[in-house]
Amino acid sequence: CSLLKLKFYTLKKLLYIIALFLVTTSFFGQTIPSYYNGIDWNLTENDLFLELATKISNTHIDIPYTSSSTDTWDVLKMTDEDLNNSANVFLIYGFDDADGDSTTDTTRDKSLQDSGGGTGVWNREHVFAKSLANPSFGTDEPGPGTDVHNLRPADQERNSTRSNNKFTDGSGNSAIVSTNGGWYPGDEWKGDVARIVMYMYTRYHGSGTQIA
């Protein structure tokens, strides 16, 4: 399998996020989901990181990128289905359905998947950009490049605008931030992006190794 090196997220930041999540969960009187049964929460630092990495790796299912059988297109049509209209998918980075600009749409008909580019179609956005991985993601075989946790439906043109720009701070709607050329995913989507990158870091390791 390809290996992933996330250069701009550190283990320390990851564990801080995990710790914050646990504190927040305890604050609201909720219990840790049963999915995490078996995790030793007395572990710290790299030991906890490896425990979590093993947990999510053991429940991972490889899915082909494009196939005559079930592939990533099929999965995204289910996981990102518009809850108010089952014929549509949500579009990451979208923010306005009424401005007459299809590149800012928040939903799109499932049948309008990209078959060669164009206006008003959706494609599969690698939230952690393929070319920023080390080595870069491949999609010929199931693996990190076809992991649907990192894939979201996106307007084809807006996906092209994002290109492989690294994420950066910002506010408001999704856009290129002129001060540093980074991509702000938008207020509505920044939480999704944070969780996706956290997953990818944990699943494939920031050091460039991965749990088999």
Side-chain angles (χ1 to χ4, degrees), residues 3-69:
L3 302 179
L4 175 66
K5 186 175 182 180
L6 305 185
K7 297 180 179 179
F8 50 88
Y9 276 82
T10 66
L11 174 61
K12 182 177 180 180
K13 288 181 181 178
L14 173 68
L15 294 176
Y16 173 80
I17 294 171
I18 294 172
L20 182 62
F21 168 77
L22 292 176
V23 170
T24 304
T25 301
S26 298
F27 179 80
F28 285 102
Q30 299 173 351
T31 58
I32 298 174
S34 59
Y35 172 83
Y36 293 100
N37 288 347
I39 295 290
D40 183 356
W41 295 109
N42 293 314
L43 297 174
T44 60
E45 299 182 354
N46 196 58
D47 291 333
L48 177 57
F49 173 74
L50 292 174
E51 183 104 338
L52 291 169
T54 300
K55 178 67 174 179
I56 63 177
S57 299
N58 287 342
T59 57
H60 184 87
I61 298 175
D62 288 329
I63 297 173
Y65 196 59
T66 302
S67 173
S68 58
S69 60

Side-chain angles (χ1 to χ4, degrees), residues 24-185:
T24 304
T25 301
S26 298
F27 179 80
F28 285 102
Q30 299 173 351
T31 58
I32 298 174
S34 59
Y35 172 83
Y36 293 100
N37 288 347
I39 295 290
D40 183 356
W41 295 109
N42 293 314
L43 297 174
T44 60
E45 299 182 354
N46 196 58
D47 291 333
L48 177 57
F49 173 74
L50 292 174
E51 183 104 338
L52 291 169
T54 300
K55 178 67 174 179
I56 63 177
S57 299
N58 287 342
T59 57
H60 184 87
I61 298 175
D62 288 329
I63 297 173
Y65 196 59
T66 302
S67 173
S68 58
S69 60
T70 301
D71 61 14
T72 56
W73 288 110
D74 299 316
V75 174
L76 292 180
K77 289 175 183 179
M78 293 185 290
T79 59
D80 290 67
E81 183 178 285
D82 181 352
L83 300 179
N84 296 315
N85 184 348
S86 61
N88 292 350
V89 289
F90 286 114
L91 301 177
I92 193 170
Y93 313 140
F95 54 86
D96 193 338
D97 289 317
D99 62 358
D101 181 357
S102 62
T103 71
T104 66
D105 287 352
T106 63
T107 64
R108 177 88 21 95
D109 191 304
K110 291 177 180 179
S111 67
L112 297 176
Q113 66 187 54
D114 183 14
S115 59
T119 299
V121 297
W122 66 277
N123 63 8
R124 296 162 293 184
E125 156 74 329
H126 283 82
V127 176
F128 188 92
K130 293 190 292 183
S131 61
L132 295 184
N134 185 16
S136 61
F137 291 141
T139 57
D140 291 338
E141 298 291 337
T146 72
D147 193 323
V148 291
H149 288 82
N150 188 43
L151 296 174
R152 299 296 299 271
D155 173 78
Q156 187 274 330
E157 293 178 277
R158 193 150 203 84
N159 192 351
S160 180
T161 299
R162 185 262 162 133
S163 186
N164 66 346
N165 293 293
K166 294 181 179 179
F167 293 110
T168 191
D169 292 333
S171 62
N173 299 324
S174 61
I176 296 289
V177 177
S178 59
T179 54
N180 58 21
W183 177 254
Y184 179 64

